Amino acid sequence: MSKHSRPSGRRVFGVLLASVSLALIGACGGDDSDSGSDSEALQELGENEGQVSILTWPGYVEDGSNDPEVDWVTPFEQETGCEVTSKVYGTSDEAFNLAKTGEYDVIAASGDLSLRLVAADEAAPVNTDLVSNYDGIFDFLKDTEWNSVDGVNYGIPHGYGANLLMFNTDVVQPEPTSWSAVFDDASKYKGKVTAYDSPIYIADAALYLMKHNPELEIENPYALDEDQLAAAVDLLKAQRENIGEYWSDYLKQISAFETGDSVVGTSWQVIVNSLDSANIKAILPEEGSTAWNDTWMLSSQAENVNCAYAWMDYIVSPKANATATEYFGEAPNSEAACAETVNPDHCEIFHAGDEAFSEQLWYWRTPIAECLDGRTDVECTDYSQWTAAWTEIKG
């Protein structure tokens, strides 16, 4: 993924999420299981090695080369003596393949990648006692199903964000409170409904069905058996009749809402902020929503373990985490980081630290054959089946 000049973190966010639409999650089921690395976490830090290699989403490791005014890498290098090299990836599938080369010490991973790394023995357990800033991280981000396995921690929480329902208040009336605006009621806005262009969007439909069609017995929008997947596909095929366009390009969605070509659909808070229009509003619907939550992980093949720990500790420190998450456009991971943001309202806007808000979110997970909701009497559909279904939905 090439990196062009970027005027702000909002653009970084948009470019990133546009790329995610191409292959949001690696199409596989076999790589992801509950098994993990048998190695033990480091017990004591040694002398820094002088360098660290980081595999990262765009906008997470900025050294001033993209924007001279955006640089939190140089202070880290000066503080630790660890020279940073980084490789930007565009999709979680790409990151999974790159991680297997063993060329990287630290990996920034979303929930659709983190457990794949653990299952493939590409992630090492992390001793959080060696990360001094870990204690300050919001408790509800720790020991979750996407950064821990069987009580063993495999990463340090970085930042997170929700998928929201965005709409034009001049057209979409009364103001919606439910995802029904883009599903059962979508015909009201035929040709002007927009949806995120990725197989993972099937989870949004599954979440809606989970709340409105209890007879389907969906317990987790990422754990769908064949019948449940078929129901989500049917809902999305019906929605397809009202879609003006599926979007993945950040600037294209902004343009569509500015011109009125789109009036209702899925979006992110940072995109709403970019529109900066009085008639554009975004809400977390009553059903809740899907979301992402990113984790810093230690490669099981890391050659520079001490500098890797130094980076993980630094990037979740209040000032560095505030700078990185505000630039990227997401919620920081701690109250102390919120106190360091340039925009004093940033954390309120992104609901940082709002546990009640977070509890309404279903963070991205890779669908696998072993049902993530704990069922053992049925096989669930994996991501390759979701990918095939998405192709069928779009026609």
Side-chain angles (χ1 to χ4, degrees):
M1 178 179 179
S2 61
K3 295 194 292 182
H4 305 287
S5 59
R6 294 172 296 174
S8 70
R10 294 172 181 173
R11 179 65 185 270
V12 172
F13 186 86
V15 172
L16 163 62
L17 291 170
S19 70
V20 173
S21 71
L22 299 177
L24 176 64
I25 298 175
C28 71
D31 285 326
D32 195 358
S33 69
D34 287 335
S35 64
S37 173
D38 293 328
S39 61
E40 296 183 357
L42 185 69
Q43 295 303 304
E44 184 178 340
L45 291 174
E47 185 176 348
N48 287 342
E49 299 86 355
Q51 64 274 326
V52 63
S53 179
I54 304 174
L55 183 60
T56 178
W57 286 117
Y60 274 13
V61 182
E62 292 295 315
D63 62 2
S65 58
N66 291 303
D67 183 339
E69 297 183 2
V70 180
D71 179 5
W72 52 88
V73 169
T74 298
F76 166 77
E77 293 176 327
Q78 294 171 340
E79 176 183 323
T80 65
C82 301
E83 182 178 351
V84 173
T85 58
S86 64
K87 168 71 173 179
V88 172
Y89 65 83
T91 70
S92 291
D93 192 41
E94 178 188 356
F96 182 69
N97 290 325
L98 287 169
K100 290 191 292 186
T101 67
E103 296 177 8
Y104 307 97
D105 302 307
V106 183
I107 303 159
S110 295
D112 57 296
L113 171 63
S114 54
L115 294 191
R116 292 181 65 194
L117 293 173
V118 175
D121 289 339
E122 295 297 340
V126 173
N127 185 346
T128 58
D129 290 339
L130 301 180
V131 180
S132 62
N133 288 294
Y134 184 78
D135 286 345
I137 295 174
F138 295 126
D139 286 340
F140 66 88
L141 299 180
K142 301 175 181 177
D143 304 318
T144 66
E145 59 187 9
W146 53 87
N147 61 33
S148 301
V149 176
D150 296 332
V152 178
N153 195 291
Y154 282 89
I156 308 298
H158 175 76
Y160 61 101
N163 302 313
L164 302 174
L165 175 63
M166 186 167 75
F167 54 92
N168 184 320
T169 58
D170 293 340
V171 180
V172 182
Q173 299 178 352
E175 291 189 7
T177 59
S178 165
W179 286 112
S180 62
V182 296
F183 290 123
D184 291 339
D185 300 331
S187 60
K188 297 179 181 179
Y189 316 105
K190 185 176 178 65
K192 296 191 174 184
V193 178
T194 182
Y196 186 51
D197 190 2
S198 169
I200 202 64
Y201 184 66
I202 291 173
D204 292 58
L207 176 59
Y208 182 73
L209 292 172
M210 184 170 74
K211 302 296 184 179
H212 293 271
N213 294 66
E215 67 277 7
L216 291 171
E217 299 183 341
I218 297 174
E219 299 291 337
N220 182 320
Y222 304 104
L224 306 180
D225 60 35
E226 289 188 358
D227 291 339
Q228 293 166 339
L229 177 62
V233 169
D234 287 343
L235 179 62
L236 290 167
K237 283 183 176 179
Q239 182 198 53
R240 178 70 180 89
E241 300 301 315
N242 302 296
I243 293 288
E245 66 177 1
Y246 291 99
W247 72 274
S248 59
D249 185 284
Y250 170 70
L251 298 178
K252 191 173 181 180
Q253 194 196 33
I254 290 177
S255 177
F257 269 85
E258 287 177 338
T259 61
D261 290 338
S262 294
V263 298
V264 64
T266 306
S267 192
W268 291 271
Q269 185 64 55
V270 67
I271 296 175
V272 182
N273 297 348
S274 297
L275 279 163
D276 194 25
S277 176
N279 67 336
I280 301 298
K281 185 175 181 179
I283 62 165
L284 179 71
E286 59 194 23
E287 298 90 356
S289 184
T290 57
W292 77 90
N293 195 318
D294 290 347
T295 299
W296 291 103
M297 305 187 76
L298 175 67
S299 170
S300 60
Q301 303 184 62
E303 296 183 359
N304 304 292
V305 175
N306 294 287
C307 277
Y309 267 89
W311 171 262
M312 290 189 293
D313 193 27
Y314 170 79
I315 196 60
V316 298
S317 64
K319 180 61 176 178
N321 188 253
T323 303
T325 55
E326 188 170 18
Y327 178 69
F328 183 82
E330 62 186 337
N333 68 7
S334 70
E335 197 66 48
C338 286
E340 297 285 350
T341 59
V342 174
N343 180 355
D345 298 323
H346 178 81
C347 284
E348 181 179 356
I349 291 170
F350 286 87
H351 298 275
D354 188 340
E355 188 169 356
F357 182 86
S358 185
E359 286 176 350
Q360 300 176 69
L361 307 180
W362 287 86
Y363 294 105
W364 284 340
R365 292 285 305 277
T366 304
I368 58 174
E370 184 177 348
C371 296
L372 297 172
D373 58 10
R375 285 180 291 169
T376 58
D377 59 338
V378 66
E379 188 173 271
C380 279
T381 52
D382 64 21
Y383 194 76
S384 64
Q385 292 169 279
W386 284 39
T387 300
W390 187 246
T391 300
E392 179 185 343
I393 289 162
K394 293 185 65 181

